[in-house]
Amino acid sequence: MPDIKYRMLVINPGSTSTKIGVFDNEISILEKTIRHGSEMINSFANIIDQYEFRKKTILETLDNEGINISKLSAVCGRGGLLRPIEGGTYAVNETMLNDLRTGFAGQHASNLGGIIAYEIASGLNIPSFIVDPVVVDELDPIARISGFSLIERVSIFHALNQKAVARRVANELGKKYTELNLIVTHMGGGITVGVHKQGKVIDVNNGLHGDGPFSPERAGTVPVGDLVALCYSGQYYRDEIMKKLVGQGGLVGYLGTNDAVEVERRIEAGDEQAALVYEAMAYQVAKEIGAASAVLAGKVDAIVLTGGLAYGKGFVKSITDRINWISDTIVHPGENELQALAEGSLRVLRGEENVKEYPGTFKTAKI
């Protein structure tokens, strides 16, 4: 029986651009980054107000590229800051739309993904989806306990890329994702190390402004007492401290750049400080992977390194030299989010996976 061809439009809104892709099953037939001028973006009071503008530019771009949207089988948007949910592909419904519009868990450009997908799809009478948003939360109850009773550990990580890469690795190994124990490390502007136990991410560091390794732009775990003292020193406002932790932390704080290629150039030119800081970032990633292996009691089928930093061979070697004793390391550089959105939609369209209803039955483990 011939494979049915499904054509999907996928949408990934960013702060100053919108990435779109059109896929025939797994094959990309169009990928485009639509740039939005800062003057246009700044003319909107709120992110949600950009919806009509971005939808219009997407439809115009598709028309200019000769894409007939009446041939689409589904539209999938990048999931935004929603309620905590388990991983998977979700149909966009009214509850989700309301949470995206009101910014239930915060305002972010990715909130527009589900809204635009729904509006385009509803006009064509086809389904609209989101796949593995950053709020995916499958933590074990024990992983939520922080040690400070007023604060619970939460799951905020690169769920879309981590889950997609984990499934690809499972396919390469001839196994199902739900049969494997993997440690997947996404290394980009933020770094997250996820413990994937038989298809669920049971522990992961908060890659936004929580804990874990420092990264090109984020401080990661810092000494708590010293941070509290700094907060009450009278030298900084709250927003200034947050900026130093997220945006001006990590490589930016030490070296004034978030560009790993630039840092590697400095190291080649003999910059000892750059070499030390870069090595320290690799050291912290390896240490986090080591901690993740303890969660799995050492039963690790593979360690996966992905994200933009995984292109750096020297950086990857600094990590793998420290973790090779745990398990084999598989490197999948980059983060193909458009492909991941298409694959998530395709699994549902083919009946390989059931579509999920938002918000589901998620429950936290508060104590």
Side-chain angles (χ1 to χ4, degrees):
M1 182 177 175
D3 189 22
I4 298 172
K5 185 173 79 172
Y6 295 101
R7 175 164 289 189
M8 297 153 291
L9 167 65
V10 296
I11 302 165
N12 183 10
S15 57
T16 60
S17 67
T18 303
K19 295 179 182 177
I20 62 170
V22 178
F23 288 78
D24 283 345
N25 293 350
E26 296 92 345
I27 306 302
S28 169
I29 63 169
L30 172 71
E31 292 189 30
K32 198 87 174 176
T33 299
I34 305 169
R35 308 284 179 190
H36 310 304
S38 57
E39 186 175 335
M40 174 59 74
I41 291 297
N42 292 335
S43 70
F44 296 98
N46 300 296
I47 289 174
I48 199 66
D49 297 334
Q50 300 171 21
Y51 148 68
E52 283 287 356
F53 159 71
R54 294 213 194 204
K55 176 188 169 187
K56 184 176 180 228
T57 60
I58 290 169
L59 292 174
E60 287 175 350
T61 300
L62 292 172
D63 186 53
N64 291 338
E65 294 292 334
I67 300 295
N68 183 350
I69 63 171
S70 68
K71 295 183 181 296
L72 294 174
S73 306
V75 185
C76 183
R78 177 73 182 270
L81 296 177
L82 295 161
R83 302 165 197 257
I85 53 177
E86 67 178 359
T89 299
Y90 286 78
V92 181
N93 58 22
E94 285 299 329
T95 305
M96 182 187 294
L97 289 170
N98 184 63
D99 284 352
L100 291 171
R101 288 174 181 137
T102 59
F104 176 86
Q107 294 289 346
H108 190 272
S110 61
N111 289 11
L112 296 166
I115 299 171
I116 297 172
Y118 177 83
E119 291 295 335
I120 293 175
S122 61
L124 300 168
N125 199 28
I126 57 175
S128 55
F129 306 118
I130 66 162
V131 179
D132 291 326
V134 295
V135 293
V136 164
D137 190 333
E138 301 167 336
L139 297 188
D140 275 351
I142 198 169
R144 300 186 189 283
I145 299 173
S146 69
F148 183 52
S149 63
L150 299 180
I151 298 175
E152 182 180 272
R153 293 187 70 238
V154 297
S155 175
I156 300 179
F157 71 112
H158 304 88
L160 182 63
N161 190 46
Q162 281 212 22
K163 290 265 190 180
V165 170
R167 288 187 180 97
R168 289 178 201 138
V169 167
N171 187 57
E172 290 169 8
L173 296 176
K175 299 278 189 179
K176 294 180 179 177
Y177 175 43
T178 53
E179 296 174 338
L180 295 174
N181 289 344
L182 303 170
I183 297 172
V184 183
T185 302
H186 176 101
M187 306 181 297
I191 294 175
T192 53
V193 180
V195 181
H196 296 239
K197 183 178 182 180
Q198 298 173 2
K200 300 287 185 185
V201 182
I202 63 169
D203 202 349
V204 65
N205 62 295
N206 179 341
L208 181 58
H209 48 61
D211 50 9
F214 73 82
S215 71
E217 298 176 348
R218 299 168 196 174
T221 300
V222 296
V224 176
D226 293 338
L227 179 59
V228 171
L230 194 63
C231 289
Y232 285 89
S233 67
Q235 299 179 58
Y236 304 101
Y237 291 108
R238 179 186 183 278
D239 289 350
E240 290 177 304
I241 290 289
M242 287 303 298
K243 191 79 170 178
K244 287 185 176 297
L245 293 171
V246 182
Q248 297 176 356
L251 294 184
V252 174
Y254 285 107
L255 303 174
T257 182
N258 63 0
D259 186 347
V261 175
E262 168 62 23
V263 174
E264 290 172 355
R265 285 198 199 100
R266 293 186 195 180
I267 294 170
E268 289 176 8
D271 187 328
E272 294 181 1
Q273 175 67 4
L276 176 62
V277 171
Y278 207 47
E279 180 72 15
M281 187 165 69
Y283 168 86
Q284 288 198 4
V285 171
K287 190 163 67 168
E288 191 78 12
I289 291 170
S293 72
V295 174
L296 294 168
K299 298 174 183 176
V300 182
D301 292 300
I303 297 166
V304 185
L305 303 180
T306 185
L309 290 176
Y311 285 110
K313 293 181 180 179
F315 184 70
V316 167
K317 186 175 186 302
S318 293
I319 296 169
T320 55
D321 284 349
R322 292 182 165 93
I323 61 171
N324 277 335
W325 58 274
I326 300 172
S327 185
D328 292 337
T329 301
I330 300 170
V331 182
H332 274 260
E335 48 180 311
N336 197 336
E337 293 169 334
L338 296 178
Q339 182 80 39
L341 292 172
E343 290 171 356
S345 303
L346 191 58
R347 286 192 298 273
V348 167
L349 293 171
R350 284 175 167 168
E352 299 169 356
E353 188 178 292
N354 292 328
V355 68
K356 295 182 177 179
E357 183 178 351
Y358 177 83
T361 57
F362 176 86
K363 293 180 181 178
T364 62
K366 287 220 180 261
I367 34 178

